[in-house]
Each structure stands twice: as C-alpha cells, then as structure tokens.
Amino acid sequence: MDTVTYGAVVAYVKQTANALGAVKGAPCTVKSITEGGEGSTVVFAWTGNDGVQQTSTAFIPRGPIG
C-alpha cells in the first residue's frame, strides 16, 4: 500500500471511529490528491448517515511510514 492510500484510509477510519458523520463501512472516495514538496494532500469524501456529503483532508508527509 502506498503512503497516499495509507493516509486516506487512516483518516477515514479516524473519522468513523470518532463518529463525525461517517457511517462504518460507508463508501469513501478520494476526491483529489495534490502533491507538493513536503508530501501529498489527500481530500476524500463519503455520504454520512444523514445523507450529507462529508469531506476530510489528510496530509501525508514524504518519507517512511512509522
């Protein structure tokens, strides 16, 4: 798994675990990936249990994970 995918998954799981509008198992899509010198910014989206589109942004720094 590459770092961008890993970051998106981690951020989505945190949103779900914190009950911030995500439904466990809700389909999540990556809306955009912007690469910069320090790393990548990933914006992903899903529809909450109230039918409202939710988005979240994760910054994935360059370098090894962990």
Side-chain angles (χ1 to χ4, degrees):
M1 178 183 304
D2 64 344
T3 57
V4 172
T5 304
Y6 175 80
V9 169
V10 167
Y12 179 65
V13 169
K14 285 181 183 177
Q15 291 288 325
T16 301
N18 292 333
L20 297 176
V23 177
K24 183 176 180 181
C28 177
T29 59
V30 175
K31 289 183 79 166
S32 66
I33 300 172
T34 306
E35 296 187 25
E38 302 278 322
S40 299
T41 301
V42 180
V43 177
F44 53 100
W46 66 95
T47 301
N49 59 353
D50 56 1
V52 176
Q53 180 81 23
Q54 305 286 323
T55 61
S56 185
T57 302
F59 179 75
I60 314 303
R62 294 203 186 285
I65 298 173

